[in-house]
Amino acid sequence: MNENREINALFHLLDDPDLEVFDTVASKILLYGKDIIPNLENLWENTIDEAIQERIELLIHRVHYQDLQAALRVWGLSDMQDLLQGAILAARYQFPDLMAAQIVTEIDRIKRNIWLELNNYLTPLEQINVLNSMIYNYFGLKGEEVSYQRKNQFFINQVVESKKGNPITNGIIYQSLCAMLDLPVYAVNIPRQFILAYFDSYVDFAEPIEPEDHRILFFIDPIQGQIYTQQDVDTYLKRVSVPAVPSYFKPQSNKRIIQFLLEELSKCFQDDKEAYKQDELMNLSSILEE
């Protein structure tokens, strides 16, 4: 975007000590959208004052955040809420220039290798054994329990690159692969866990879902592909003193999974300086309730 008189005038006001003036200037700059980012970056490079540089960085962040809000709203209202694309949008909060193609290509490569090993004669358990072998052995995905100190494990691009995630991001990769391969595997709402379940039929999230509509054959822990039976899960619920209720075994929509990812990611930003990021991420999550 070429700099015009209005943009130049706005940029000259960025050093105004009056916060009210700065907020007014920021609001007008945001109206230009992503097109103004190169201008802001150029201004940052030619600014010596660190305080002004911080204001410019904040403005660039606000422009990206505004764009992300709009993209997430479109994703949430779309008929096909692709889970992998939702995770890529969540990662764009920290990596606004993230290119999706590399992630999609890598996941598609794993999918093709799994597809070559699958056939119509395999049982559900045998199918999942093939997936586990490809995901955790061939691709080399590792998993760790959720830690809010390891925020990189919440970003799908960094998980694909480092091959190390947490149950949520590993689960998103796992479920995305299952969707590509037409396997009825969906996240369920077991307390204090992010766990997948292999159902006896496909789920249409466009219709109201009752827990009794679908039967779970077994559960899958996406950290490393461990298989659990219904009895294993019942034993776990007893151990943590949580009564089993039908809603725990209800398949979760892709929209709800991305909401949960954003909510958990927000917990990574605990100190006062980053408190605004916690608010922004919770706001992104609330957009998906609209």
Side-chain angles (χ1 to χ4, degrees), residues 16 20 46 59 62 75 88 92 148 152 160 205 211 231 234 269 283 289-290:
D16 196 300
E20 199 171 314
N46 292 285
L59 275 172
R62 283 188 188 176
W75 180 85
I88 289 168
R92 273 181 51 196
Y148 303 121
N152 60 305
V160 170
F205 288 98
Q231 187 176 352
D234 291 341
F269 302 98
N283 180 54
E289 291 176 3
E290 294 176 2

Side-chain angles (χ1 to χ4, degrees), residues 135-150:
I135 294 171
Y136 301 104
N137 297 331
Y138 169 72
F139 177 61
L141 185 65
K142 301 286 188 291
E144 298 177 324
E145 294 292 347
V146 167
S147 167
Y148 303 121
Q149 281 70 52
R150 295 190 292 266

Side-chain angles (χ1 to χ4, degrees), residues 161-177:
E161 186 180 325
S162 68
K163 300 185 180 181
K164 184 177 285 186
N166 58 35
I168 308 167
T169 42
N170 279 14
I172 286 170
I173 291 172
Y174 201 111
Q175 185 172 327
S176 296
L177 287 164

Side-chain angles (χ1 to χ4, degrees), residues 11-22 25 52 55:
F11 283 178
H12 281 303
L13 289 170
L14 284 177
D15 61 354
D16 196 300
D18 189 331
L19 284 177
E20 199 171 314
V21 172
F22 172 70
V25 169
I52 306 303
R55 282 188 167 187

Side-chain angles (χ1 to χ4, degrees), residues 14 27 31 46 50 126 132 142 147 181 235 237 255 265:
L14 284 177
S27 298
L31 293 174
N46 292 285
E50 288 186 7
E126 288 169 337
N132 285 347
K142 301 286 188 291
S147 167
L181 296 159
T235 301
L237 291 172
K255 188 190 282 192
L265 173 59

Side-chain angles (χ1 to χ4, degrees), residues 83-240:
L83 184 58
L84 189 61
Q85 291 298 331
I88 289 168
L89 283 175
R92 273 181 51 196
Y93 178 76
Q94 190 84 347
F95 303 94
D97 299 318
L98 173 64
M99 301 299 288
Q102 193 173 349
I103 300 166
V104 173
T105 299
E106 184 64 10
I107 299 301
D108 191 59
R109 183 175 70 86
I110 304 168
K111 185 264 298 187
R112 286 199 306 275
N113 280 278
I114 297 170
W115 181 79
L116 290 170
E117 298 294 325
L118 292 178
N119 63 63
N120 295 331
Y121 303 104
L122 296 179
T123 65
L125 196 55
E126 288 169 337
Q127 291 172 339
I128 293 305
N129 284 335
V130 170
L131 255 83
N132 285 347
S133 177
M134 284 293 174
I135 294 171
Y136 301 104
N137 297 331
Y138 169 72
F139 177 61
L141 185 65
K142 301 286 188 291
E144 298 177 324
E145 294 292 347
V146 167
S147 167
Y148 303 121
Q149 281 70 52
R150 295 190 292 266
K151 65 171 72 77
N152 60 305
Q153 293 184 0
F154 287 90
F155 300 117
I156 199 75
N157 56 318
Q158 295 210 307
V159 173
V160 170
E161 186 180 325
S162 68
K163 300 185 180 181
K164 184 177 285 186
N166 58 35
I168 308 167
T169 42
N170 279 14
I172 286 170
I173 291 172
Y174 201 111
Q175 185 172 327
S176 296
L177 287 164
C178 288
M180 293 174 182
L181 296 159
D182 295 323
L183 300 178
V185 172
Y186 307 96
V188 287
N189 193 29
I190 305 295
R192 304 177 210 170
Q193 300 289 329
F194 188 90
I195 199 163
L196 306 174
Y198 194 117
F199 285 79
D200 64 347
S201 60
Y202 301 103
V203 177
D204 181 4
F205 288 98
E207 301 292 329
I209 298 168
E210 298 299 330
E212 60 270 17
D213 292 343
H214 303 277
R215 186 171 66 89
I216 292 173
L217 304 184
F218 52 84
F219 300 87
I220 309 153
D221 183 348
I223 289 182
Q224 56 185 7
Q226 178 77 32
I227 306 295
Y228 294 115
T229 64
Q230 182 67 53
Q231 187 176 352
D232 292 329
V233 173
D234 291 341
T235 301
Y236 161 76
L237 291 172
K238 283 180 184 174
R239 193 171 74 246
V240 296

